[in-house]
Amino acid sequence: MSNKDPKDPLVRNLVLLGLIPRYPKSASVQELKTALEQRGFSVTARTLQRDLSEKLSTRFPLICQDDGQAFRWSFDSQAQITLPATDTAAALAMSLAEGHLKHLLPPGVLALLEPQFATARNHLQSLQHNPLTRWAQRVRSLPNGKALLPASVNGDVWEQVANALLEQRQLQVDYLSRVKGEVKTMTLHPKGLVSRGPASYLIASVGDYTDLRHFALHRIQRAEVLSAPARDDDFDIDAYLPTAAFTPRQGTGMVELVADVHPDTAWILRETPLSEDQALKPLPDTQWLRLTASVADDQETLWWAFGLGEQILVREPASMRDVLTASIQRTLALYATPTS
């Protein structure tokens, strides 16, 4: 018998347990039956209901509700399911990932992962003499720079977006436009999802248009997966991202940055370069160095240069120098205004 024999009730029920959502979400017997069939298991609704009622619910913290049309099943929201032979390395990875994901995922999504994080913590705590436990206690991930709190994303919106992307189906959303300040209903063809700092963005085309746009998940006020399939155009996210304008561009493509930098900044750039072709050359009669590097002509490059303050003097391109000069002059004027 193979490891996944569709006739093996034990294997089928293990897969079934993985399909049952946590309360308050639920799945009907028919929904679970369909999901099992998609995974190669053939079972009647009657057999499935009997397994749930007479076998699984007596051994696992399952909840059954009758909504008047069908029986719906859930796992207890606080249940911690620990399967035999938990992998210690996997538990360590989950423990370390928990701290990192706090800076990437909305609170609602983190809450859905909490049972898995708790299982990993409990497993490591049961192995106090295992050296991997000491690793988890002594390793942390810290953000570079000021970390903003994650943007708040509605849990139902997140679920609908994820399902539409995974199932490649169209998604109808009510979206708040930051530019126009109004909510617009539109139909999207999901292509990909990007987590960027404190916010996550859905890459999608709109309606009959084929150009790609970015939709901040925290600005989607309502989302509904439609039955119609999304347009399939062999989207390659790795090929797309280098050209994606996630920040406003000042020009097009790449530019050569030429700047004089303080030795402290030069030290950092030697260890963490701006680009593969970066060069740092000493300037005569000073400790400063001349920096040259190919960089994106976008808002993030400007923010980086502006954030260095008096430790950088941008010389080229002239367009970047002019923008920084004007910004510094406006900042000086702002601080020259008497405080109230």
Side-chain angles (χ1 to χ4, degrees):
M1 184 176 292
S2 68
N3 290 335
K4 190 180 177 181
D5 189 337
K7 296 180 181 180
D8 186 347
L10 175 59
V11 176
R12 185 185 69 226
N13 284 336
L14 285 174
V15 175
L16 173 61
L17 287 171
L19 295 171
I20 300 174
R22 289 181 179 270
Y23 185 84
K25 298 177 183 179
S26 63
S28 68
V29 171
Q30 186 58 47
E31 290 170 343
L32 293 171
K33 178 178 180 295
T34 300
L36 283 172
E37 289 172 347
Q38 292 173 346
R39 289 159 176 80
F41 296 94
S42 179
V43 62
T44 65
R46 183 176 180 180
T47 297
L48 195 56
Q49 178 63 33
R50 184 178 65 248
D51 286 349
L52 287 165
S53 301
E54 299 177 6
K55 298 179 181 178
L56 299 181
S57 63
T58 62
R59 295 172 172 83
F60 297 91
L62 297 177
I63 300 172
C64 181
Q65 294 178 303
D66 185 356
D67 64 3
Q69 297 180 341
F71 290 106
R72 304 191 66 86
W73 290 87
S74 311
F75 261 111
D76 188 314
S77 60
Q78 302 301 317
Q80 295 184 15
I81 308 301
T82 304
L83 295 178
T86 301
D87 187 278
T88 301
L92 173 63
M94 283 293 293
S95 178
L96 294 177
E98 181 179 8
H100 182 62
L101 292 176
K102 287 180 179 178
H103 304 289
L104 298 177
L105 297 179
V109 179
L110 287 171
L112 296 177
L113 293 174
E114 174 54 32
Q116 287 89 332
F117 291 142
T119 298
R121 289 194 299 267
N122 291 339
H123 178 74
L124 291 175
Q125 289 171 2
S126 68
L127 302 172
Q128 288 299 324
H129 299 293
N130 190 311
L132 290 178
T133 301
R134 292 194 293 273
W135 180 279
Q137 293 170 346
R138 296 169 185 257
V139 176
R140 296 294 181 269
S141 174
L142 296 177
N144 183 19
K146 179 63 178 176
L148 302 178
L149 294 176
S152 178
V153 179
N154 180 280
D156 290 336
V157 166
W158 181 274
E159 182 179 9
Q160 292 293 309
V161 169
N163 287 339
L165 184 61
L166 289 172
E167 299 171 11
Q168 280 298 281
R169 291 159 63 186
Q170 295 180 30
L171 183 73
Q172 188 178 76
V173 300
D174 293 342
Y175 189 74
L176 174 62
S177 170
R178 188 179 70 172
V179 176
K180 297 182 179 180
E182 60 185 29
V183 177
K184 183 178 180 180
T185 301
M186 60 186 79
T187 300
L188 306 181
H189 295 262
K191 306 297 182 183
L193 193 65
V194 172
S195 178
R196 191 170 184 274
S200 296
Y201 297 86
L202 174 67
I203 304 171
S205 58
V206 182
D208 295 330
Y209 297 96
T210 57
D211 59 305
L212 298 180
R213 295 169 55 185
H214 305 153
F215 298 89
L217 294 194
H218 59 274
R219 297 194 196 110
I220 299 178
Q221 299 187 351
R222 184 193 64 85
E224 178 185 356
V225 179
L226 304 180
S227 59
R231 188 165 46 244
D232 184 10
D233 52 6
D234 296 324
F235 174 71
D236 185 340
I237 193 169
D238 292 323
Y240 170 75
L241 286 179
T243 66
F246 276 97
T247 61
R249 297 188 183 275
Q250 306 304 309
T252 57
M254 307 291 286
V255 295
E256 184 181 41
L257 172 65
V258 180
D260 299 342
V261 294
H262 187 276
D264 289 345
T265 297
W267 186 283
I268 295 173
L269 290 174
R270 286 194 186 97
E271 297 179 331
T272 54
L274 276 175
S275 65
E276 294 290 340
D277 64 354
Q278 172 186 290
L280 287 164
K281 298 181 180 180
L283 290 169
D285 303 323
T286 178
Q287 292 184 324
W288 285 51
L289 294 92
R290 175 64 52 84
L291 163 71
T292 59
S294 297
V295 297
D297 191 11
D298 60 14
Q299 191 70 41
E300 281 196 344
T301 301
L302 283 172
W303 286 340
W304 173 81
F306 192 78
L308 289 175
E310 71 277 8
Q311 292 206 345
I312 188 171
L313 173 60
V314 173
R315 296 192 177 277
E316 296 178 15
S319 58
M320 184 181 297
R321 180 185 175 95
D322 292 343
V323 171
L324 289 170
T325 300
S327 180
I328 291 170
Q329 290 173 346
R330 289 192 298 270
T331 302
L332 288 173
L334 181 65
Y335 276 92
T337 304
T339 57
S340 57

